[in-house]
Amino acid sequence: MSRVSNHPPSDATLRRLERASGSLATQAVARMDDDLPWFRAMPADQRSWVTLVAQAGIASLVEWCRSPGRPPRLTGEVFGAAPRELVRAVALKQTVDLIKVTVEVMEERVTSVAEPGDEETLRLAVLQFSREVAFATAHVYASFAESRGAWDARLEALVVDALVRGERSDELSGRAAALGWAAGTPALVVVGATPTAVDDPHGAVRRAARSLNCDVLVGVHADQLVVVLGGTGDLEAAAERVADECGQGPVVTGPVVDGLGRAAVSAAAALAGLRAAGAWPEAPRPVTADALLAERALAGDPLARTALHEQVAAPLRSAGGGVLETVRAVLSTGGNLEASARAIFVHPNTVRYRLRRAAELTGLSATDPRGSWTLQVALALAALDRDRSLWH
């Protein structure tokens, strides 16, 4: 920067400033302790780092005054005196407060440090140098934020990629915790197409999720946008909001699971649902992976086939009381209850009662188009599995 004065402090003043640097730094830290409550609460090692930075700053001021034409290398000379962890421990606004206190102490001690007649020159040098330090501080924090952002992006991609691959590990929770993910909270996975008209889909998804107070991880795999939502809020509502940020086509949500360690289960269901969603063109957006169990099973998803057996076929077979027979009759007559009653020789009210019982067991209605479709697929697959077991 250009110097306001052509007369730097004298060598005698600079020698006195060098000798006083330790005392000035100690006085500055004592003032910080008095004026800044957050500084008093810092661990002893971090407070000692601040003292080192203050001493290095005063030494750099002396060197700068001796070579007025050379821009000060503040990043290395001043901030290099402390570990990088200091940037993590002290926020930018707090660092500005530390610089302000140090400059105030130095200004107050100008008269006692400077040679007679050199006071204003030294005071001007302190002010000019403090501005340089302020710029250097901004550079340090910007560089840290940039490198931290790149590291966070890589770590986030690793976590999402591990979930897509089906990895289930406690390490995932640890990695996510480094990204600010709350431990032990429910999670679900949302998948859809990556938007092509958005420059920063990651940012748009994060803003959408955080507007509903949800933790979020985002990854792009080929043309698929994979979003992990977590927290104690309404994850289904957050999934609907995030779906608006996905590209054209279906958006599928996996089931809610009890923690990030099991999010691979939600991811597997959501991805399988996305592959099968084309078989249901009228599906809502987003659609749950469980609503696509029939399509997923037909597409070869073994998890969906098992779920249909456990949640639909097996409960109906175990219900007794003609429940399975009645469901088959209703499916075969296209939902006509009177015709179904005649086919199995019972009263229509008996058919209604048994259908209510079937709905309680499976969550599916045989008279609803989607329910009847899922029931037909589940019973057909169960029959095929039974026939296959007889052959073996």
Side-chain angles (χ1 to χ4, degrees):
M1 61 173 287
S2 60
R3 298 294 304 274
V4 176
S5 172
N6 293 324
H7 303 288
S10 65
D11 287 340
T13 293
L14 295 180
R15 286 193 297 271
R16 294 179 65 174
L17 181 59
E18 279 184 310
R19 290 194 296 270
S21 62
S23 173
L24 288 172
T26 301
Q27 293 174 41
V29 171
R31 178 76 62 83
M32 295 171 194
D33 195 69
D34 291 337
D35 296 350
L36 305 174
W38 60 265
F39 181 76
R40 289 195 297 272
M42 289 178 67
D45 59 339
Q46 294 177 4
R47 289 159 58 93
S48 67
W49 295 341
V50 173
T51 304
L52 288 175
V53 171
Q55 289 178 326
I58 297 171
S60 186
L61 166 63
V62 173
E63 184 61 29
W64 184 58
C65 290
R66 284 175 171 159
S67 304
R70 181 181 65 83
R73 296 188 298 274
L74 298 177
T75 301
E77 292 178 356
V78 178
F79 296 101
R84 294 283 290 180
E85 285 78 1
L86 185 62
V87 183
R88 300 176 188 268
V90 183
L92 176 58
K93 181 180 182 303
Q94 293 173 331
T95 302
V96 172
D97 290 339
L98 297 179
I99 293 172
K100 181 173 179 291
V101 169
T102 303
V103 171
E104 288 175 351
V105 169
M106 292 182 67
E107 284 186 300
E108 292 172 2
R109 301 297 185 271
V110 162
T111 303
S112 61
V113 171
E115 287 286 316
D118 221 7
E119 294 88 347
E120 289 305 314
T121 302
L122 180 58
R123 183 173 288 108
L124 178 60
V126 169
L127 293 176
Q128 289 178 296
F129 190 75
S130 66
R131 190 169 73 169
E132 291 286 351
V133 172
F135 285 132
T137 301
H139 173 75
V140 168
Y141 276 82
S143 298
F144 175 76
E146 182 177 353
S147 61
R148 177 60 189 265
W151 168 251
D152 284 355
R154 288 193 294 271
L155 184 58
E156 182 179 31
L158 286 172
V159 172
V160 175
D161 184 63
L163 293 176
V164 170
R165 294 197 316 271
E167 181 179 326
R168 305 181 195 181
S169 168
D170 291 339
E171 292 182 6
L172 290 177
S173 299
R175 294 173 185 170
L179 298 169
W181 186 279
T185 57
L188 69 75
V189 175
V190 182
V191 295
T194 303
T196 56
V198 179
D199 293 333
D200 182 19
H202 292 71
V205 168
R206 288 193 185 93
R207 287 190 294 273
R210 289 170 180 164
S211 69
L212 295 177
N213 299 317
C214 285
D215 292 330
V216 60
L217 300 172
V218 189
V220 174
H221 288 256
D223 58 348
Q224 296 174 346
L225 188 67
V226 181
V227 182
V228 187
L229 298 172
T232 57
D234 189 341
L235 297 184
E236 285 83 2
E240 291 186 8
R241 177 65 185 85
V242 165
D244 295 337
E245 306 300 334
C246 294
Q248 294 183 349
V251 177
V252 182
T253 65
V256 177
V257 294
D258 57 357
L260 191 68
R262 299 194 69 248
V265 174
S266 185
L271 291 167
L274 189 65
R275 288 190 292 269
W280 185 13
E282 300 81 14
R285 176 185 156 113
V287 60
T288 65
D290 285 349
L292 290 162
L293 281 176
E295 288 79 6
R296 288 166 52 193
L298 293 176
D301 179 10
L303 295 176
R305 190 161 183 154
T306 299
L308 286 175
H309 174 77
E310 294 177 348
Q311 299 174 20
V312 180
L316 290 177
R317 190 166 59 245
S318 303
V323 173
L324 178 57
E325 177 189 25
T326 302
V327 169
R328 289 188 185 279
V330 172
L331 294 176
S332 65
T333 61
N336 188 315
L337 300 189
E338 287 74 15
S340 302
R342 290 193 299 270
I344 58 177
F345 307 106
V346 297
H347 193 275
N349 285 341
T350 301
V351 172
R352 294 185 178 91
Y353 168 77
R354 290 175 179 176
L355 289 183
R356 285 197 298 271
R357 177 61 179 153
E360 292 172 357
L361 292 170
T362 66
L364 301 170
S365 171
T367 58
D368 171 78
R370 281 298 300 176
S372 64
W373 159 248
T374 304
L375 285 165
Q376 289 181 67
V377 172
L379 294 176
L381 292 174
L384 291 174
D385 290 340
R386 186 169 60 252
D387 292 343
R388 187 177 297 111
S389 65
L390 290 175
W391 279 100
H392 291 84

